[in-house]
Amino acid sequence: MSEPGLSPYGRTFGYTEEVSVVRQTLANPNRFGCLLLGPAGIGRTTVMSMALAQIEANTPIYRLRGSEQVRDRELGVLEILLSQAGVGTDIGVGAALSMVAKVIAQDSSTSIPIVRVDNANLVDESSLSVLCHLAEARKIRLVVGAESVRAPIDIIAKLWLTGKLTRIDLTGLDEGAIAALAATSKQNTKSAAELYRDTGGNPRLLNHVLFGQEQIQAQDRILWNISEELKPIVEICAVTGAMPYGILAALCPWEKIDAMADAGIVTMTKGRDAAVMIAEPVIAETLRSQIMPSHSLRLFNALDKVIDIGLLEGQALFGYLRWALRLGFQRPADYVYKAMVWANSRGRYEDTAMLARASQYESHEMRLEFVRAEKGLGNIESADRHFDQLLEMLDIEQSPPRLLSRVASMDFRLTDPRAPERLRTGWIRKQLTSPVDQGRYGSTQARFEQRGGRLIASRNLAENVYRTHACQTRHRLRAYAILGFDEVCLGQVDTGLHYIRQAELMFELPGTTSYEIEDAAPQLFVSRYVAGDWEGARGALTSVDAGDRMRDFIGALVDIRTGHPARAQVALTEVLAQSHEEDFVDIVRISRAAKRYADALLGKNLQASDLPDQSQVDSRVDRYAWWSEFESRLYDLQTLALTRPDKAAEQLFELGCAQLDREALAIAAGALMEATRLGHRKAAEELARIAPNIQGALGHLASTMSRALLEGSAGALLEAAQESLEFGSAIVCSDLAKLAQKRAVAENDRSAVRRARILVGNSTRTIRFNAADARMDSVLSGFERRLVDGVVDGRSSQELGEAHHLSSRTIEWHLGRIYQRLQVANRRELRAVASTWKARA
């Protein structure tokens, strides 16, 4: 059967991890195969196609596809295979099992065949039963795609319950993949965030929105099953996004709503105020696009007769008000304000701005929400202009304290933290008496001081909020995160990480909004990153929905610091390709600097023009943070050190001293350690002075490194190299081990030379070959791999020479080249490297 061509979204497909899981499962002899689940258009077919395209060419692949025409025909999907055995579909299931097994055995070579079943929910039970039995007998491996685990797919699901079948639930493309896809569309005017919000990442729906292609497949089949009587109900749900069950029950019998839920057309939340919504975003988008203005007005009038706006909240209230305002119907200001707050709390800033522009109300609260939306959209000039207008209209005596505290908090968010004298609302603090309002003001001011690098002031403000239990939980959560970061930077690493763990636990409490994720979540990562807790840093944002792009960024920075620049280079390329204006931290600047460093480590020759001119570098005010500026500068100086070590060492020393002026001992230690390993003696002396005041592994490493560089003996340098390797920094270990090796040679210490050579080899292998996709076949030729296999099997050079018709001296020459390429010293180290590669393959 011919394979269908990839649709436009296939060129920028974002399911790289899922494709990898399918490939790994098919390579695992203890697995029966994969079950991919997801609604129509989610990308099941593309994932299967991409995974199977990378399977070895000698593996037989049988492609079966379910359809409406064969779903009721017993053994219908196996008809072609049965015809090859000379029989039809009128035989029993047991006979069909024997015949299909016979046909597959005839076509098979040494590899177990793969049977791909697309649209398995449209395949008859008998066919699926035959395939399941073949998989259990290890005659085939299955790759099955279906919309859900409902019958007849529950037959396949039984294999998953045994633990032998891998289940993969496809949830849609992330914002990065959407941004790459949107860049290929000439008619798109929306950002990646808006597209993700509107489509849920559904590739087929994205294809429709971006390229205007008609949706004539699964969504049409579902729409055909909706009766004319119920279609208005479904259209109302599509326009509003969600509608309470009780209101819809006033428009049609509740039994029919339940029937639509049973059919999978709509879903219902649980609880007293249950809401009804369309099950698949692609269906909702299709319905919305088909509703003409006159019909939309009729639907709204029908809904408006039975609705009680006081019962609406969340998505239902927002969807209803958006609909009403677009049609020109004004609604009470307090409900519009409530909907704006809800949309802003979920990061739907464009929707908030739309409500503000469509309504004719201009209360102070609504103006402030509009400013928040403009700031969230990156329209800083517009946000500043409207904020100044709000301040001119604000009546201090008549305004409630809650509004004043929120106005002051917005002032902190709009003002450059490097210039606190530009704040416009310092007088408000005296007007606040409630702990809730003081907590909002205090936590925001603490974050403002932190972004400006004033850590002592930030710590004091945050500590006051977190100790006041009358403050709201979400404000105390922000205070915990701020306090944790400040303490880590000030050198109190253990204390700071304790606060960070408390903040992580508080994310599970109710009441957290998008602002807490935007403001506090990145600090969980940075605190662990600065402390050298690499595994903790990599998994710091697992408890919050920070997005794939942020997680890729985090993983890349950790990979660079732990000596995996190849892996970081790939991830940073993806991060920078997904750049958009809605970044809630300034990661673009750091990513660019980190990628330059990774490129240089991997051998790319950088010109002087490749490094930015620091006198001209300026970050956007709303995204500026002192740590971001420091980290990007540190990466640039590390890049410079690879070609101009003397110049970089002096600048690194100055950078570290600048952080000491802020009392940021842990941050300063990073720059001073870099200067110290480049031979800067003043940096080593300064590092020795501050190291005892830094807690944890970072302080211990700083102390060991400064002592080693000041003492200069091979033993001290080896101790520092070993310490840095245990800390997780393979690059530092490599440099220190090379210094130790030179010193040991000068001291004629053979034992130290041997230890240094081992450390150099281990760290260099990590840096060069530990990329996620590094394989021995990408480093060595086929003949060299066979020699390595022989060494692993314990064969001598003479035995290898006889096997390959070469002399033992020639074999030794080839092995010497392999040793040099893999950075190993002898056969024992070569066997260790080969075992590691094979375990990862």
Side-chain angles (χ1 to χ4, degrees):
M1 302 178 187
S2 61
E3 191 72 8
L6 288 179
S7 60
Y9 70 81
R11 296 193 296 269
T12 53
F13 207 66
Y15 288 131
T16 54
E17 183 177 351
E18 287 79 356
V19 171
S20 177
V21 170
V22 175
R23 290 174 54 199
Q24 293 173 10
T25 300
L26 294 177
N28 189 339
N30 297 319
R31 291 280 180 171
F32 295 155
C34 292
L35 173 61
L36 290 87
L37 296 174
I42 204 66
R44 299 187 310 269
T45 301
T46 306
V47 170
M48 291 190 288
S49 298
M50 295 179 70
L52 294 179
Q54 303 172 42
I55 299 298
E56 294 181 1
N58 62 345
T59 302
I61 300 176
Y62 297 88
R63 293 173 172 86
L64 308 177
R65 187 178 185 86
S67 65
E68 292 286 355
Q69 288 75 24
V70 301
R71 68 184 305 176
D72 297 325
R73 290 166 51 188
E74 190 167 352
L75 302 175
V77 79
L78 300 176
E79 186 173 2
I80 296 177
L81 291 175
L82 292 173
S83 65
Q84 294 178 15
V87 298
T89 58
D90 54 349
I91 61 176
V93 175
L97 175 62
S98 301
M99 293 298 179
V100 173
K102 181 179 179 181
V103 171
I104 289 176
Q106 290 174 349
D107 294 342
S108 302
S109 58
T110 56
S111 301
I112 299 178
I114 296 172
V115 176
R116 163 183 168 171
V117 186
D118 206 352
N119 289 345
N121 48 291
L122 301 179
V123 175
D124 61 282
E125 292 186 2
S126 298
S127 296
L128 292 179
S129 179
V130 169
L131 295 175
C132 284
H133 281 89
L134 290 172
E136 287 181 304
R138 302 188 184 278
K139 300 293 184 182
I140 62 171
R141 288 199 178 97
L142 285 173
V143 180
V144 181
E147 293 186 8
S148 69
V149 293
R150 296 179 180 177
I153 304 304
D154 53 356
I155 298 175
I156 302 288
K158 291 178 181 178
L159 297 181
W160 168 61
L161 295 175
T162 66
K164 295 293 186 179
L165 192 78
T166 301
R167 171 174 170 172
I168 302 173
D169 291 277
L170 302 181
T171 56
L173 304 183
D174 58 26
E175 288 190 22
I178 293 174
L181 177 59
T184 66
S185 173
K186 297 180 180 180
Q187 62 188 35
N188 176 55
T189 59
K190 295 183 178 181
S191 67
E194 290 175 301
L195 289 170
Y196 183 82
R197 181 199 66 209
D198 294 341
T199 65
N202 188 296
R204 184 180 296 168
L205 178 54
L206 281 164
N207 207 27
H208 171 72
V209 173
L210 293 174
F211 303 100
Q213 295 187 0
E214 294 182 358
Q215 304 300 297
I216 58 172
Q217 298 179 10
Q219 62 268 37
D220 284 340
R221 175 173 55 80
I222 295 176
L223 292 175
W224 291 337
N225 293 330
I226 302 174
S227 66
E228 289 299 320
E229 179 186 3
L230 293 177
K231 194 170 183 180
I233 304 299
V234 182
E235 289 173 333
I236 288 173
C237 294
V239 174
T240 59
M243 190 52 56
Y245 181 88
I247 292 175
L248 294 179
L251 295 173
C252 74
W254 61 267
E255 297 92 342
K256 295 188 176 182
I257 300 176
D258 292 348
M260 285 195 297
D262 293 337
I265 299 172
V266 299
T267 60
M268 291 186 291
T269 59
K270 297 180 180 179
R272 182 177 179 181
D273 299 321
V276 180
M277 59 199 72
I278 305 295
E280 299 182 15
V282 64
I283 303 301
E285 178 64 26
T286 302
L287 282 169
R288 281 195 296 268
S289 65
Q290 294 176 353
I291 298 175
M292 302 301 291
S294 58
H295 183 52
S296 176
L297 180 59
R298 287 195 297 271
L299 287 174
F300 179 81
N301 288 332
L303 176 65
D304 206 38
K305 291 178 181 178
V306 299
I307 205 166
D308 182 355
I309 194 173
L311 300 177
L312 302 181
E313 60 182 32
Q315 174 65 59
L317 177 62
F318 168 78
Y320 170 75
L321 289 175
R322 178 179 59 182
W323 197 6
L325 292 173
R326 282 178 173 173
L327 291 174
F329 296 100
Q330 291 296 321
R331 290 295 180 264
D334 52 343
Y335 290 111
V336 177
Y337 170 69
K338 187 177 178 182
M340 292 174 66
V341 172
W342 177 86
N344 266 338
S345 69
R346 281 153 180 80
R348 299 176 61 170
Y349 303 120
E350 184 66 40
D351 291 329
T352 303
M354 185 279 297
L355 286 179
R357 296 188 182 99
S359 67
Q360 299 178 359
Y361 306 112
E362 294 187 352
S363 66
H364 297 333
E365 290 83 358
M366 294 178 71
R367 278 183 174 272
L368 185 60
E369 288 300 321
F370 178 70
V371 170
R372 179 182 174 187
E374 289 288 89
K375 194 271 178 189
L377 291 171
N379 302 327
I380 304 302
E381 293 183 1
S382 173
D384 257 327
R385 184 172 63 255
H386 286 90
F387 186 73
D388 288 336
Q389 294 175 1
L390 173 62
L391 290 179
E392 292 176 2
M393 300 171 58
L394 199 63
D395 187 339
I396 302 175
E397 300 297 331
Q398 300 297 324
S399 299
R402 180 177 184 275
L403 173 62
L404 293 177
S405 70
R406 295 182 70 243
V407 168
S409 297
M410 184 54 65
D411 189 20
F412 285 124
R413 298 183 66 188
L414 291 174
T415 303
D416 189 341
R418 293 164 290 188
E421 67 278 2
R422 298 179 185 174
L423 287 170
R424 293 157 282 191
T425 57
W427 48 269
I428 285 183
R429 189 177 186 95
K430 298 179 181 179
Q431 309 294 324
L432 306 179
T433 57
S434 166
V436 174
D437 299 325
Q438 291 176 342
R440 179 185 296 107
Y441 185 95
S443 59
T444 309
Q445 185 181 11
R447 181 73 172 109
F448 177 79
E449 298 292 342
Q450 183 193 81
R451 290 170 59 211
R454 298 174 289 278
L455 299 179
I456 300 297
S458 174
R459 181 182 64 178
N460 294 338
L461 288 165
E463 187 173 14
N464 183 56
V465 173
Y466 110 85
R467 291 186 182 278
T468 305
H469 291 270
C471 294
Q472 287 187 350
T473 301
R474 59 195 186 96
H475 298 150
R476 297 186 69 229
L477 161 63
R478 294 176 59 207
Y480 267 117
I482 293 167
L483 196 56
F485 176 82
D486 291 342
E487 292 287 10
V488 168
C489 291
L490 292 168
Q492 305 303 308
V493 176
D494 296 338
T495 304
L497 293 182
H498 169 73
Y499 288 127
I500 291 299
R501 286 190 289 270
Q502 293 296 319
E504 289 173 336
L505 293 174
M506 293 181 72
F507 267 108
E508 300 177 2
L509 299 176
T512 303
T513 70
S514 65
Y515 182 55
E516 278 68 52
I517 296 175
E518 172 186 327
D519 184 67
Q523 297 176 77
L524 308 183
F525 153 67
V526 176
S527 300
R528 295 185 182 278
Y529 175 80
V530 171
D533 179 9
W534 308 120
E535 288 304 315
R538 194 184 296 276
L541 299 191
T542 55
S543 59
V544 298
D545 185 13
D548 291 339
R549 183 165 181 261
M550 185 66 180
R551 282 189 285 270
D552 289 343
F553 167 72
I554 288 172
L557 294 195
V558 172
D559 283 337
I560 288 183
R561 291 304 180 207
T562 55
H564 304 83
R567 191 162 63 199
Q569 185 187 52
V570 174
L572 289 170
T573 301
E574 291 294 324
V575 169
L576 292 172
Q578 301 167 16
S579 174
H580 52 80
E581 290 299 317
E582 289 78 12
D583 290 331
F584 53 74
V585 291
D586 187 5
I587 70 176
V588 174
R589 182 180 177 187
I590 299 177
S591 296
R592 288 172 178 163
K595 188 175 183 302
R596 285 191 292 267
Y597 183 45
D599 290 341
L601 285 173
L602 295 171
K604 181 179 178 180
N605 294 323
L606 297 180
Q607 305 298 324
S609 58
D610 293 331
L611 297 178
D613 181 359
Q614 292 300 315
S615 63
Q616 298 179 2
V617 171
D618 188 25
S619 182
R620 259 179 40 179
V621 168
D622 66 311
R623 293 192 301 177
Y624 174 82
W626 149 77
W627 177 82
S628 298
E629 183 181 57
F630 165 82
E631 191 68 13
S632 59
R633 179 63 174 158
L634 179 61
Y635 275 122
D636 284 334
L637 291 178
Q638 287 178 293
T639 305
L640 179 64
L642 297 175
T643 54
R644 300 283 302 279
D646 294 339
K647 181 179 179 181
E650 184 61 32
Q651 294 186 37
L652 283 165
F653 173 66
E654 295 174 357
L655 181 64
C657 290
Q659 309 317 310
L660 290 179
D661 294 340
R662 306 178 190 271
E663 300 188 44
L665 302 185
I667 299 294
L672 292 176
M673 282 194 289
E674 289 298 316
T676 298
R677 72 185 179 94
L678 293 175
H680 198 288
R681 189 166 185 84
K682 289 184 178 180
E685 293 172 351
E686 196 66 25
L687 190 62
R689 184 183 69 81
I690 67 171
N693 298 320
I694 303 175
Q695 296 176 348
L698 179 63
H700 193 272
L701 176 61
S703 178
T704 304
M705 186 179 294
S706 61
R707 183 173 62 253
L709 271 296
L710 290 172
E711 182 179 328
S713 66
L717 289 168
L718 281 173
E719 181 184 358
Q722 185 64 44
E723 181 80 21
S724 62
L725 188 62
E726 294 174 0
F727 185 74
S729 181
I731 296 174
V732 175
C733 172
S734 176
D735 288 348
L736 293 177
K738 290 175 183 176
L739 286 175
Q741 189 176 24
K742 292 179 181 178
R743 193 59 51 87
V745 170
E747 297 174 359
N748 198 24
D749 188 342
R750 294 184 179 181
S751 175
V753 170
R754 184 169 58 255
R755 289 172 55 201
R757 187 176 67 244
I758 292 173
L759 284 173
V760 170
N762 291 341
S763 56
T764 304
R765 280 197 306 274
T766 298
I767 296 169
R768 291 189 179 178
F769 304 123
N770 244 15
D773 57 349
R775 301 281 299 274
M776 187 171 288
D777 54 12
S778 66
V779 180
L780 303 178
S781 67
F783 170 69
E784 289 171 332
R785 291 198 302 272
R786 288 192 291 273
L787 289 184
V788 172
D789 291 337
V791 172
V792 172
D793 293 338
R795 297 182 184 179
S796 65
S797 297
Q798 184 176 356
E799 291 172 332
L800 290 172
E802 292 175 357
H804 295 285
H805 307 288
L806 297 171
S807 68
S808 59
R809 177 176 293 183
T810 303
I811 295 296
E812 287 293 339
W813 182 83
H814 282 291
L815 288 176
R817 292 188 63 190
I818 294 173
Y819 294 164
Q820 183 179 10
R821 197 173 304 169
L822 300 186
Q823 298 293 319
V824 298
N826 49 43
R827 286 173 175 254
R828 180 179 58 79
E829 292 184 15
L830 178 59
R831 282 193 290 269
V833 171
S835 300
T836 301
W837 250 312
K838 289 182 178 181
R840 192 167 63 237

